[in-house]
Amino acid sequence: MTCISVRPADGRFLVLSPVWPGEDASVLFDRNSGDYWVITPPARALVQHLVDAARPLSMAELQKHATPPDSPNTSLMIEELSALGILAMG
């Protein structure tokens, strides 16, 4: 079985906005390009964990820190963030 790792896409320097009380979204910035995205709280938690780790993480590691834990939507969310060019899998 192949272990897939997840990391920020090449060239990305990801930074999250402060958490806004009562809001159901956050802004994710890329300092290198100026790109930004509005993301959901579960996507924020996943990206924050990946940025804090400062290394590629396995899908299993990210699944443990998903919101809610072990959410079946985590893989789909990672695929969507990868399709947007935010994350890379390999």
Side-chain angles (χ1 to χ4, degrees):
M1 181 174 168
T2 304
C3 180
I4 297 173
S5 64
V6 181
R7 59 180 166 63
D10 291 339
R12 295 286 189 200
F13 188 107
L14 303 175
V15 180
L16 289 153
S17 69
V19 175
W20 302 317
E23 294 295 323
D24 196 30
S26 291
V27 177
L28 173 64
F29 299 95
D30 175 19
R31 282 186 170 175
N32 288 339
S33 69
D35 293 343
Y36 66 94
W37 305 267
V38 177
I39 59 174
T40 63
R44 179 192 173 86
L46 187 141
V47 170
Q48 185 68 62
H49 185 68
L50 193 58
V51 168
D52 289 348
R55 64 177 176 84
L57 297 175
S58 70
M59 293 285 270
E61 287 175 295
L62 286 172
Q63 191 71 36
K64 291 178 194 174
H65 297 281
T67 306
D70 297 320
S71 171
N73 296 325
T74 301
S75 294
L76 178 60
M77 184 172 37
I78 291 169
E79 288 175 16
E80 290 172 351
L81 293 170
S82 294
L84 291 169
I86 299 168
L87 301 180
M89 297 186 294

